[in-house]
Amino acid sequence: MFMHFDESMQIIEDQKITHYKTKKLYLMESLGYVLAENIIADHNSPALPTSAMDGYAFRHEDITLGRLKIASINPAGSALKEKVLGGTCIKTFTGSLMPEGADTLIPIENVEVEGDEIVIKEEVPFGFSVREVGENYAKGQKLIAKGTMIDFPQIGVMASLNVISPLVYEKPVVSILSTGSELLELGQTQTNDAQIRSSNNYILEAIAVKYGGRALQMGCIRDDKQSIQDAVAAALEKSDIVVTTGGVSVGDFDFVKDVIAELGAEVLFKGVRIKPGQHIMVARKGDKFIVGLPGFAYSSTVTALLYVLPLIAKLQQGKCALRKVKAVLDEPFKKRAKKAEFTACNLRLIDGRYHIDFKEKKVGTSAILTNMLGEVALLFTGEEEGSKEKGDEVTVLLLG
């Protein structure tokens, strides 16, 4: 009995992890990892009023004088002890602390220098170009939330806080193995016409790495039960997610579903009303998951995106990379089955709105991997939906 797609997604969402793996990494090595702690400011930034421009620091009440004496120069990083007194100013540079007694900075382009004085040519309001205490962030403020993927802005903020080694979630190890006696590895010589070149294990490795996992390539496994059981058991020892392709449908040689049960894993679901990939299977053993994908290349790719990506994110308390957005259909779409369908489409952004079409996308079996080439998204149509007309608003999955 195949379940509704939404039900399968809810089962994935409801999975709770009992123990997360974390580690500390040197700041620059943490790029692309998910934070396992909140980053809290331990000081105000700036800690004292600071100049935002090159100019002259003075008391705003003296602006009516029109002319001020330059008492000193205040380079950035200096520990200036001189104060701004009435009728004077101190030349101050971007990033310098405002001298004591000054409350305003007038830019250099607003004055003319005559000897040791400035002549004010264009006035500025009180407090102009002065960065107040805590303008950037205040002490005690949560700046980056736990569960955030670390990118260049997070690196910069943590560096400003002197966070040398943030605590991050370990990237889940995703073991990948393909079942099928007909499969050939890269470089392996074909000896008969029934043999085909394996691509699933390589595209799945690429998906795992791109979306936050660490891939462990286990290669191609022969279609016999013992070989599959040994390979899956070995993969479970080494990894957090085991992904298999092939061996989950109803053929005489489809052993993966039997192996999973014998390894003591709990099958969360087997069979979902989706196209492609209805024979998807997800199982769990402790905090580890086994995802059995179909053998056809396009099917295994789509189901990996739908089911493996959320698990990679869940094991890091992160967010799944796939996003649903609305798009305009630029040509009719014929719904092919009473299932949830995921159809490769060309994606364009026109005047702020996404548009899709199917130019040069082939209609055929679930083996057409070349449909994923180009600026591609996946058109999602629920099993309750029918065919669509040109101009209809539809839902698409962005692939990151």
Side-chain angles (χ1 to χ4, degrees):
M1 184 72 177
F2 294 107
M3 70 170 54
H4 194 284
F5 171 68
D6 292 347
E7 185 181 354
S8 71
M9 287 287 98
Q10 190 61 52
I11 290 173
I12 296 291
E13 176 66 24
D14 290 343
Q15 298 304 302
K16 305 299 182 187
I17 305 302
T18 56
H19 176 70
Y20 292 96
K21 299 176 182 178
T22 61
K23 61 182 177 182
K24 281 186 172 289
L25 285 178
Y26 173 65
L27 180 60
M28 286 310 300
E29 293 175 352
S30 71
L31 184 68
Y33 281 78
V34 176
L35 266 174
E37 62 180 343
N38 293 321
I39 301 299
I40 309 295
D42 62 359
H43 63 276
N44 294 319
S45 176
L48 296 166
T50 305
S51 168
M53 299 178 70
D54 292 345
Y56 296 87
F58 71 109
R59 302 190 314 179
H60 191 263
E61 64 187 54
D62 289 342
I63 200 165
T64 57
L65 299 175
R67 181 184 290 266
L68 300 170
K69 183 176 181 180
I70 304 171
S72 181
I73 296 179
N74 178 23
S78 67
L80 182 72
K81 296 188 182 343
E82 294 185 47
K83 300 179 181 179
V84 169
L85 304 174
T88 71
C89 64
I90 293 178
K91 189 171 186 180
T92 302
F93 297 88
T94 304
S96 299
L97 297 181
M98 288 292 289
E100 187 178 343
D103 54 28
T104 304
L105 186 124
I106 189 165
I108 55 175
E109 55 267 27
N110 287 33
V111 304
E112 286 186 2
V113 178
E114 294 183 357
D116 63 353
E117 294 184 326
I118 61 168
V119 178
I120 298 173
K121 296 297 185 182
E122 184 178 342
E123 295 187 357
V124 293
F126 175 84
F128 185 80
S129 201
V130 177
R131 297 184 62 213
E132 296 297 329
V133 172
E135 178 197 59
N136 190 16
Y137 50 77
K139 183 177 180 179
Q141 181 182 353
K142 181 167 72 175
L143 299 180
I144 312 173
K146 176 181 177 180
T148 300
M149 178 75 76
I150 298 173
D151 204 343
F152 64 87
Q154 289 77 25
I155 292 287
V157 169
M158 287 191 286
S160 71
L161 292 169
N162 196 34
V163 176
I164 299 170
S165 300
L167 184 69
V168 299
Y169 292 103
E170 291 190 18
K171 292 185 177 184
V173 176
V174 182
S175 286
I176 300 155
L177 53 92
S178 295
T179 65
S181 301
E182 76 281 8
L183 297 178
L184 295 173
E185 290 277 19
L186 282 176
Q188 190 175 352
T189 303
Q190 184 175 15
T191 59
N192 67 68
D193 292 339
Q195 294 173 321
I196 58 174
R197 191 69 59 190
S198 177
S199 62
N200 287 351
N201 48 337
Y202 299 107
I203 193 168
L204 293 173
E205 179 177 355
I207 287 172
V209 172
K210 176 176 179 177
Y211 293 106
R214 290 187 294 142
L216 181 60
Q217 191 64 254
M218 304 291 286
C220 299
I221 311 301
R222 291 184 61 82
D223 265 334
D224 67 81
K225 186 175 180 181
Q226 193 60 51
S227 296
I228 294 171
Q229 184 161 333
D230 291 346
V232 174
L236 268 177
E237 288 293 320
K238 302 174 182 177
S239 56
D240 303 290
I241 303 172
V242 179
V243 181
T244 70
T245 63
V248 292
S249 60
V250 292
D252 292 338
F253 299 101
D254 294 336
F255 301 122
V256 171
K257 58 184 181 296
D258 301 321
V259 164
I260 287 174
E262 292 182 18
L263 289 173
E266 175 195 1
V267 175
L268 300 178
F269 56 84
K270 163 93 170 66
V272 181
R273 293 193 298 273
I274 55 174
K275 184 177 179 63
Q278 67 178 356
H279 294 293
I280 175 75
M281 177 169 58
V282 177
R284 176 173 183 166
K285 186 176 183 180
D287 279 340
K288 299 187 175 189
F289 296 89
I290 304 170
V291 183
L293 305 178
F296 274 153
Y298 181 67
S299 292
S300 65
T301 300
V302 170
T303 47
L305 293 170
L306 296 176
Y307 294 101
V308 178
L309 264 58
L311 293 176
I312 290 175
K314 183 173 288 290
L315 287 165
Q316 303 170 87
Q317 288 203 348
K319 297 178 181 178
C320 183
L322 296 183
R323 289 192 300 123
K324 284 184 180 180
V325 298
K326 295 297 183 181
V328 177
L329 192 57
D330 285 348
E331 63 178 89
F333 169 73
K334 183 178 180 180
K335 187 78 181 292
R336 299 172 63 196
K338 192 173 175 55
K339 303 174 184 177
E341 284 193 37
F342 296 88
T343 308
C345 56
N346 303 305
L347 181 73
R348 295 172 295 156
L349 189 61
I350 303 174
D351 296 331
R353 295 198 69 186
Y354 287 111
H355 288 249
I356 64 166
D357 62 44
F358 309 98
K359 184 179 180 181
E360 297 181 357
K361 299 301 179 194
K362 298 177 182 178
V363 176
T365 70
S366 298
I368 308 175
L369 184 58
T370 52
N371 277 349
M372 295 295 289
L373 297 175
E375 296 294 323
V376 170
L378 294 175
L379 168 64
F380 168 67
T381 47
E383 68 176 67
E384 297 82 6
E385 296 182 81
S387 297
K388 304 290 183 180
E389 300 297 328
K390 179 179 179 180
D392 283 353
E393 185 177 69
V394 293
T395 300
V396 298
L397 286 179
L398 301 183
L399 304 184

